[in-house]
Each structure stands twice: as structure tokens, then as C-alpha cells.
Amino acid sequence: MSSSALAQTSLPTINIGGSVKRTATRPAQRATQPVRAVRLAAITALRPALPVAAATAIPDDGFDSSAQQDTALGPRIQYPAPPKETPSSSERFFTGGQINTIPAFRPGEALEIVPGLAVTQHAGEGKANQYYLRGFDLDHGTDLALYLDAMPLNMRTHGHGQGYADANFVIPEMLAAVDARKGPYNVEDGDFSNAGTIRMQYLRKVPQGVYATTGGAFNFGRVFGMRSWEFSGGDIFGGGEISTYDGPWRIPNNARKINAVLRWSRGEENDGLSVTGMAYANRWNSTDQIPLRLFEQGFSPWGSISPTDGGDTTRFSLSGRWARETATDKSTVEAFVMHSTLNLYNNFTYFLANPVLGDQFRQFDRRTMIGGNAYHAFKINLFENKESELRVGVQSRYDDVRLGVQNAVQRMPYDTPRNDQLGEGNISLISDIKTKWAPWLRTVIGARLDYYWGSNQGLQAYWDAPLFPRIDSSGFDPSAPFRIWTGPANSGAAAAQLLSPKASVILNPWDNKTDFYLNFGRGFHSNDLRATTQRLATTELGEDGGYLSVRKQGLLSPSTGGEIGVKTRAIDRLESAATLFFIQTAQENIFEGDSGNTVIARGANRIGVELTNHWRPLSWLAFEGDVTATHARFRGVDREQSQLFIDLLQPGAFEWGSWLSNMPGNYLVNATPIVATATLELGEATGWFGDFKYRYIAPRALTQDGFLKSPAIGTVNARAGYRWKEGWKLQLDVFNMFNSRSQQIAYGYGSLLPTDPLFQACNGGLSAPTTEAVCSVGQMGVVGHPIERPSWRLTFGGPLDLDLLRAKAPSLSEPFQFVKFWE
């Protein structure tokens, strides 16, 4: 009744178009300020040229809130409001407008809006990105769960690495929101969520079509467009892009990408229906990492050792979502089917394994994935009428996969170490209960039960198996070759189950500006199914010259994590959060250079702190500073590494110095100790605008003993442009503007090149003592992929109106008509 009376004595707040911002908006104007509301209404009436859609004011009830109307793409787009409550201090919610404000070199880098997340690339523009978060070297997705519209992007038992998550098909302009969570504290986050989970969501419709065309350095070109239509009681939303890029490399990337999305929806996200189809294809050449020792010999950083490296990929999907919400309950059902293909040609060790043909290999993956989720939540009264919400749900997925690896010369395979047909599935039951015990105390307690199963059939033919010289008491006998035919022996089935409890406590003891959080949870990642059935090594022989046995691995690897954190807005216009976290894993998936895949290593401990600050002192000015510091170490002793170290200390091996970077140790390989970002945003919804972003990744250990380290990475990207009130936009992006010459990615492992003295010694070209151990390891050193030289991209875009007679062109003189902003 009081609300009704209030409505009669005050005017509603009128949104006149908020500025593009990444941090929270200012609180909605109180109803106790009717005079200001009338003045804003009068100002709006005097500015009819500004096309502003009516919008409901967003209550000042959470962190990371954002304007419903955003102009980052030119025309105004309505984005979803942020959740009113978050269960942890590290969870963040971003709208698509916030994401598209910051310049990004490639689609995956748009996710760097998530504090502490670094996204890099060490190959062509079609390969999945490399991710770093909270002291994890996530390779291409291991331990970082990525979703788009509830479809998982992480690929189990993938040809190029467990958890491979390709985000190159994501179109940033079509994103409605990104919900980023750190740690395994939410029951709906399962496989690969140890470091965090990022859930991306596409728009359902746009009030006005948008298009953009971009051209830039190194033959970059892109055309993008999206639009909505009304159809059959709902809305059709479609968009797509075509892009090309060569890069600064001596062997051009020749990347060619085509991408499309089509969605029909009716109702709203929480009470409606949608069906979405996606199609994507990409092909590229790749200049992979290069040994830094070559640069000392005058080799160009933009050159290539293996000119035919590269790949191609496709992805097609169909998904649907149904949701219903009432005052007492809500239900959601999601389903998806996806088919993808991938061919990758890489050469990471050059001439280590095959001194004549080289070490190029092909990895292939053909996959059909089908799955779905169903959730139901309803309000209940428990514990003396305490407000509670109980949620139950089920998640399921099944992957049918054909994958393998082949040795190749100039993209022509000549033998097949692995060729497998497998099926892998899971059924997961989840439940949690949220209870508000008092105005200052909330809890979330839940658990998930996962059951995984799978079977693998080796399809490797005898005549395709790798050919090795037989080893006997007299040494090598080239006249009696031996084929490592392991396909039948490595077939089999596996199953596992895991119960993962979760708990969160949220305290607000003083006011509505500061919250304290306690979080605990058990997480996990699945292991490559082939490792659970493998009995024999596929590319190595035993000391007797026969098959070499290997130890089977478990299908699920658990972890335990926790957080203590605080979020506060005690200082006006400043949002700050501090989080202390730890995580203990039972096993690690790490990148192995000589196999081009992830391998299972012993467990590790991580402890770290994350600080975020978002300050908007003025409507046209915003700063953001984030830093994450992590101490990460392996537990226990790596016995295989210890034995290799002893072998490298023997006469004939010791002199080559490989033991210096192969000592046993506990450094977690490629774990980032510090990731920091800083951004500066300038400008209002229309007119001139600018953005600057600095990203820093600290040096990190590349070997267990810490002897080899990567260089630090520090880059600055900038954007400047102008937005017209009619919805047009012209912007210039500059990447790596200060010409950082660091390595975008670095690894530490052994390789061989014909110019290496060790190569000549191991292959009879140099009379010098060697051993089998040192020749199998190769020349140890850092290999890296340099950051691209400074480059620019110019974008022009605006309303996509099919009625050309109605479209209004921008005034080219308007940007130079300076006005007094204080009037």
C-alpha cells in the first residue's frame, strides 16, 4: 500500500541513455527527487533526435549492474539486467555492451573482461586459444568450463588436448551477457570448472539491425551484421560474419572464416521458448612456436620452421530452451546437438623424432555431441518460516568421437600411432537450497552426483602402425623392423562416479554496501578416456625392444577449493572486491611439447589473492584495475623425471647440459604467478570516445625445476572513435601500440634442428659423445610465439535498415562541431 501511495506522489525515473560502461551504474534516482525527474523529462523532450527507448530503472541492489540500453555497437541495444545476488566475491556479470567496449584482437580475447583471465594464442587464428586463470595453465580449456547458451564448448577426450574449447566461432557483438564464476562452488558447474566457469549468452532480439565493416593491417578484413524480424508470434534473430587475416608472418595465416547464427524466440529469457542454429567454418596456416636460440642466429621472429602447419575446423549446432517462471517456482529445459570437425598439423619438436622427414603430425577429431539440462526450483518455508528456494536438476551429455594422431610430411600422413572410435557420456544429478536466515545472512548448500562412462575401440590397422627398428642384444637391426601396433590392446571401457558437495555463506552485517563471502566446494575434471583403457605405449619401446606397458588412469579427477572474500561500495562510485582462494587438485593436465597433447601429471596446490577495483568518478570517465597473484606448486615427487635427470647426468649426456632444465622440482609448469589488467574508458553514449587496456602476465616457470622461465608479457591496446546520435559509429583500434617484443606464449622442452650441434652428434655428423637419453630429450630451451607487431583496424558501422530511403546517413562534420559540455 505504501508503494501505491508513493507512486502517486512522484514521477518515475526516465532513462536518457546511459553511457557505455563496464562498472556499475549510478543508483536509480530516488522517488524523493521528483523535481530532478521533471527536469530530465524536459531535457529529453527538447532532444527528439536522440532515439531513446523507454526503460525501467534498475534498482541499486547489486554489484556489476549495468544500463539496460547500451550504444557500444552504435545503435542502442537492450541487454539483460544483472542478477540481484551473487554467491561469491569473485563472480562477475557483464553485458554485451560492456564486453564490446574494450578492444579485442581476436574473439577469445573478449573474455579478458573477466578479472584475472588471460587469453593468448600460439598458432593460427582457427585454433582454440590458450587460457590462464588463477595459476592454471589451462592449455585450450582444461579446468576452465566454457558454455554458450547452455552448450558446453569443452571437448572431452579431444584429439589436441583434454577440454579443448574453441571460442573462435563466438561473435562478441551478438553476446547479451557473460556470467563468470571462479572456483567449483556452484552445483550446476561440473566438468572442467576447477579454475572457473564462463557462461555466455546470445541476444534474443535487437530493436534495430546493426552492421559493421572492418579493414586493417596485415590484410585483416571483416564484415558483420545482425537483425531481428517478427515471425509466427515471436522474433527471428539472425547474424553472421565473414573475415580474413594474414598476419605479419612470412607464411601468411591465410585465415578464412565464415560464421552464422539464426534464432527464433518467443517470450522472455525466464519465461519463453527459443530455438537456435549455428554454423561455422574456418581454415588457416599456422606459424607455431620457434626456439629462441634461433633468434640469436638471425632467424626472423616472423619466419616458420614448418611452413605447412595449419588446420581447418567446422561446427554446426542446433539448440533449444524452454523456461517458465511464476511467483512460487521456475523451470528450465535445455537441449542441444552439435557436430564438429578438426584437422590440425603441427610440428613442435622439428627434427627430434625423425631427423629426415621431420616431426610434423596430424591430429584429427570428428565429434557429434548430444545433451540437455533440466532444472526446477520452488520456494519452500523451512526452519521457522525462513525464506528458502530448493532447486533440483539433471544434466546429461553423450559424445560420439572419432579421433587420432598421424605422423605426416607436408600434410601427408604416413603412419598412425592412434586411431580410435569412442563414446563417452554422463548423467549428473544436482540439488541445492538457498536460505535467507536473516536480512544479513544467506546460505547456499548443495551437491552434485556425477556418473561417467565410456568405451573405446582402437581402429589402428597393423600396416598403419609406426615402424621402429628392432632393438636386440647387438643393438639396432634395420633389417628387422618392428611395428608398434597397439590399437586392439588399448581398447576397453571405463566408468566412474563422484559426489561433490558445495556450500556458500553470504554475510551483510552492516549495510547494503558491503558483503562478506565464504565458499567451499569439490570440483573435478574428466581425464582423456583413452588414458583409462591404455595398456601399451603408442610411440615408445621398452628396454628389451618390445612393447612398453603404461599405467591406466582414472576417468574423474577431483579437486577441493575454497574462498574468503568481500565486496564493497562503501566509497561512492567505487566497487572493490578482495578474494583469498585456494584449490587442491588430485591430478593436473599439462601440455607436453613432444606429443602436442595434454598429459596427466601429479596433483598440485594453489593459493592466491584477487583484487578488483572499478571506479567511475564521472559519467564519461571510468577506471578499472584487477590483479590476481597465485602461488602454485606440484605435490610429491615425479619419479619419471627423477630417473631422466639421473640419465642426463651420465657421461656423454652430462656435457650437453640438458640436466640443468630437467632436475626434479615442484614448479607448476606455465602457472602464471601474476595476471593484471588496467583499463581506461572515456566518452558518453554519443560523441567522441576512447578506451585503453593494459595487460600484464608475469614471468613463469616452464620446467619443474624452474630453470627455464618465460619472459613477462605486457601489451597496450587502444581504441578511439565517434558515435553519432543516429546510431552510426567510426572507430580505430590499435593493438600492441607500444611494440612489445615479448612472447605471446612460451614453453620449455627439448627439440632438434639441423643447425644444432647435438643434432649432428646424434645423427653421425659430429664426432662427439652422446647417449640415447640426451638424444631423445634434444636441445632444451625456450620456444615461443611472438606477439604480433603493432597493427590497426578501422571499423565503420551503424543501423542495418533494409529500407535505404528511410536510413539517415551520418553528418561527417558533426564530430568537429565542438560544444560546451557544461551547458
Side-chain angles (χ1 to χ4, degrees), residues 340-357:
S340 67
T341 67
L342 176 68
N343 290 299
L344 277 178
Y345 294 90
N346 294 306
N347 185 348
F348 298 137
T349 53
Y350 321 116
F351 293 91
L352 175 65
N354 194 319
V356 177
L357 300 179

Side-chain angles (χ1 to χ4, degrees), residues 315-336:
R315 186 186 190 277
F316 303 92
S317 68
L318 181 66
S319 62
R321 187 179 192 274
W322 172 86
R324 181 185 64 87
E325 183 174 7
T326 68
T328 59
D329 66 326
K330 51 187 175 183
S331 302
T332 304
V333 177
E334 301 160 331
F336 51 86

Side-chain angles (χ1 to χ4, degrees), residues 609-625:
V609 61
E610 181 178 273
L611 303 173
T612 64
N613 292 279
H614 315 278
W615 184 39
R616 182 172 289 277
L618 301 169
S619 64
W620 54 270
L621 177 64
F623 300 93
E624 176 160 347

Side-chain angles (χ1 to χ4, degrees), residues 11 53 129 293 323 414 660 684:
L11 295 176
N129 295 108
R293 63 184 182 269
Y414 60 86
L660 286 171
E684 296 283 5

